[in-house]
Amino acid sequence: MIRIVIADDHPIVRAGLRAVIDSEADLDIVGEASTPSAAFELADSLTPDVILMDLQFGTDETGVDATTRIQQLPSAPHVLVLTNYDTDMDILGAVEAGAAGYLLKDAPPHELLAAIRAAAAGESALGPTIASRLLGRMRNTQNVLSPREQSVISLVADGATNADIARSLHISESTVKSHLVHIFTKLDATSRTSAVAEARSRGIIR
Amino acid sequence: MIRIVIADDHPIVRAGLRAVIDSEADLDIVGEASTPSAAFELADSLTPDVILMDLQFGTDETGVDATTRIQQLPSAPHVLVLTNYDTDMDILGAVEAGAAGYLLKDAPPHELLAAIRAAAAGESALGPTIASRLLGRMRNTQNVLSPREQSVISLVADGATNADIARSLHISESTVKSHLVHIFTKLDATSRTSAVAEARSRGIIR
DNA sequence: GCGCGAATCAACCTTTTGATTGATGCTTGG
DNA sequence: CCAAGCATCAATCAAAAGGTTGATTCGCGC
């Protein structure tokens, strides 16, 4: 019997997962969480085999944060990420946090059930598409932006001028321009608009 | 007995809706669709009372397109939109297409069930938040961009320079600049990056 | 200690963008 | 016919962004 916790902020998605999983004789849902911290607490108190984890809960804390914390538990369950997001940042972030699998929410039920059983057996539960995405893109995401560069690109994406950004971050415009030069190099961009577009497509900003 | 069709591309969401609705004595799911065109066909052939319609199906055709077509049917069902998107453009687009209600997917089951019954009774099924959003923003969305302006802002959001855009659309850079001036006025922006940010927040671009 | 990355800053120059003003032509509705 | 909106285009100038080069300091790992 594989014991499962469901972590998703949408009641209808939880109901759907329940419906799919409840009809399987070897699977048992032992708990449900609608926030990352509730997911962590259930992982700790219920010691499930597998936890199905959404990435975005409409809270500051994310499914990646909860996944990271869950890895510190003495009997950490296998985390299977189930999400709408398929950018490189999202995939790599979840895998680096210790997720054993990554599935998109449009996956048909038989794929979901196979992924749950694989994760419970300690196997990688990445579909071939996601696995090859991961391998092919390791180099790019290693060039990820520094925390300061992240702040700058986020403000650019909000429509801020270099002068606005300098004021917000209490630095000079020269420093803003320096950060932008680095951002352009890392993202292979030549303007603020192309840098923002690339950062969006990589999931660096949302 | 309220007869319902479910239109959503995610099997897990459909399973969740089924689970929520099947437990209600006065509600009956008569069909399911995973594309907008399948939704239209079922609306035509099964003549349900209510159709639960997602907006994005991963296809070129959207739930708004299907909603528009459904209004032409002799016994058009009431369309209740159920989606993750809450931008002004999305809400207004659906309402203008003839949707009788609009719900976000994080709505709890009791709200969903109330909205279904209201829609079936011919009542507006907009939550108070969404209704006030709609009224408060009618003015803004009436200033929506012309088709050409839409093309220009989309290309800007992709990171294109004015020269790139002129080449793509086979016009002069002067014309690109003119369109941008109009876009800035309509979106209350002063730079391309702030225009893109505002267009995103309004759902003009995604 | 050295090398590297990150953060900070500047000067100088070029390019692009944005603001303003003006114009033409077409289509649509009153 | 007139007005408004849309699409197109131009000239001129100011402002912002981008490119390049150079520098300093700090923290970390080898």
Side-chain angles (χ1 to χ4, degrees):
Chain A
M1 183 63 75
I2 302 174
R3 304 168 71 253
I4 297 164
V5 163
I6 296 172
D8 196 289
D9 58 325
H10 288 190
I12 289 164
V13 172
R14 296 203 299 275
L17 292 171
R18 213 183 297 135
V20 168
I21 292 165
D22 271 350
S23 55
E24 300 295 309
D26 60 326
L27 307 182
D28 180 33
I29 296 175
V30 296
E32 299 191 18
S34 60
T35 67
S37 47
F40 173 73
E41 278 151 29
L42 292 190
D44 193 14
S45 57
L46 299 183
T47 63
D49 300 298
V50 172
I51 178 161
L52 296 185
M53 182 73 74
D54 196 7
L55 289 184
Q56 300 294 335
F57 289 80
T59 57
D60 286 344
E61 202 179 13
T62 65
V64 168
D65 299 328
T67 301
T68 301
R69 289 169 69 202
I70 286 167
Q71 303 312 312
Q72 324 294 345
L73 291 175
S75 348
H78 305 285
V79 176
L80 177 54
V81 169
L82 188 59
T83 180
N84 284 323
Y85 302 101
D86 70 340
T87 70
D88 298 341
M89 291 301 295
D90 289 308
I91 298 169
L92 191 66
V95 171
E96 285 181 343
Y102 198 105
L103 264 197
L104 297 179
K105 275 187 183 169
D106 62 3
H110 69 88
E111 259 184 49
L112 171 67
L113 297 170
I116 289 170
R117 292 184 179 110
E123 293 158 19
S124 157
L126 302 176
T129 329
I130 300 255
S132 68
R133 278 278 293 280
L134 203 54
L135 288 175
R137 294 297 179 95
M138 288 296 283
R139 194 174 0 155
N140 272 4
T141 45
Q142 276 175 353
N143 288 338
V144 77
L145 308 184
S146 74
R148 203 62 165 167
E149 286 159 0
Q150 286 262 65
S151 298
V152 170
I153 197 70
S154 289
L155 290 169
V156 170
D158 289 341
T161 61
N162 292 347
D164 294 334
I165 294 166
R167 267 191 304 268
S168 284
L169 302 181
H170 306 293
I171 53 178
S172 76
E173 274 189 55
S174 289
T175 304
V176 175
K177 288 183 182 181
S178 291
H179 287 313
L180 282 170
V181 167
H182 296 143
I183 289 167
F184 294 165
T185 300
K186 290 180 179 182
L187 298 185
D188 203 24
T190 52
S191 68
R192 59 208 306 118
T193 55
S194 64
V196 168
E198 183 65 22
R200 279 192 180 280
S201 78
R202 295 194 194 181
I204 294 169
I205 51 178
R206 197 130 18 209
Chain B
M1 185 61 77
I2 302 174
R3 304 166 72 255
I4 297 162
V5 164
I6 297 172
D8 196 289
D9 57 325
H10 287 190
I12 290 164
V13 172
R14 296 205 297 278
L17 292 171
R18 213 183 297 134
V20 169
I21 292 165
D22 270 351
S23 55
E24 300 295 309
D26 59 328
L27 308 180
D28 180 34
I29 297 173
V30 296
E32 299 191 18
S34 59
T35 66
S37 48
F40 174 74
E41 277 151 29
L42 291 188
D44 193 14
S45 58
L46 298 182
T47 64
D49 300 298
V50 173
I51 178 162
L52 295 186
M53 181 73 73
D54 197 7
L55 288 184
Q56 301 294 331
F57 289 79
T59 57
D60 286 344
E61 201 179 12
T62 65
V64 168
D65 301 328
T67 301
T68 301
R69 289 169 69 202
I70 285 166
Q71 305 311 312
Q72 324 293 344
L73 291 175
S75 349
H78 306 284
V79 176
L80 177 55
V81 169
L82 187 60
T83 180
N84 282 324
Y85 303 100
D86 69 343
T87 69
D88 298 340
M89 291 301 295
D90 289 310
I91 298 169
L92 190 68
V95 171
E96 284 180 343
Y102 198 105
L103 264 197
L104 296 179
K105 275 187 184 171
D106 62 4
H110 70 87
E111 259 183 49
L112 171 66
L113 297 171
I116 290 169
R117 292 185 180 113
E123 293 159 18
S124 155
L126 301 176
T129 329
I130 299 255
S132 67
R133 277 279 292 278
L134 202 53
L135 289 174
R137 294 297 178 93
M138 286 298 282
R139 196 180 355 173
N140 273 3
T141 45
Q142 276 175 356
N143 288 339
V144 78
L145 308 184
S146 73
R148 203 63 164 164
E149 286 159 0
Q150 285 263 67
S151 298
V152 169
I153 198 72
S154 288
L155 290 169
V156 171
D158 290 342
T161 61
N162 292 347
D164 293 335
I165 295 167
R167 266 191 304 268
S168 283
L169 301 182
H170 305 292
I171 53 176
S172 76
E173 272 190 55
S174 289
T175 305
V176 175
K177 288 184 183 182
S178 292
H179 287 312
L180 282 170
V181 168
H182 296 144
I183 289 167
F184 294 166
T185 300
K186 289 179 181 183
L187 299 185
D188 205 24
T190 52
S191 69
R192 58 206 307 119
T193 55
S194 65
V196 168
E198 183 64 22
R200 282 191 187 282
S201 79
R202 293 192 195 184
I204 294 170
I205 51 178
R206 198 134 8 220

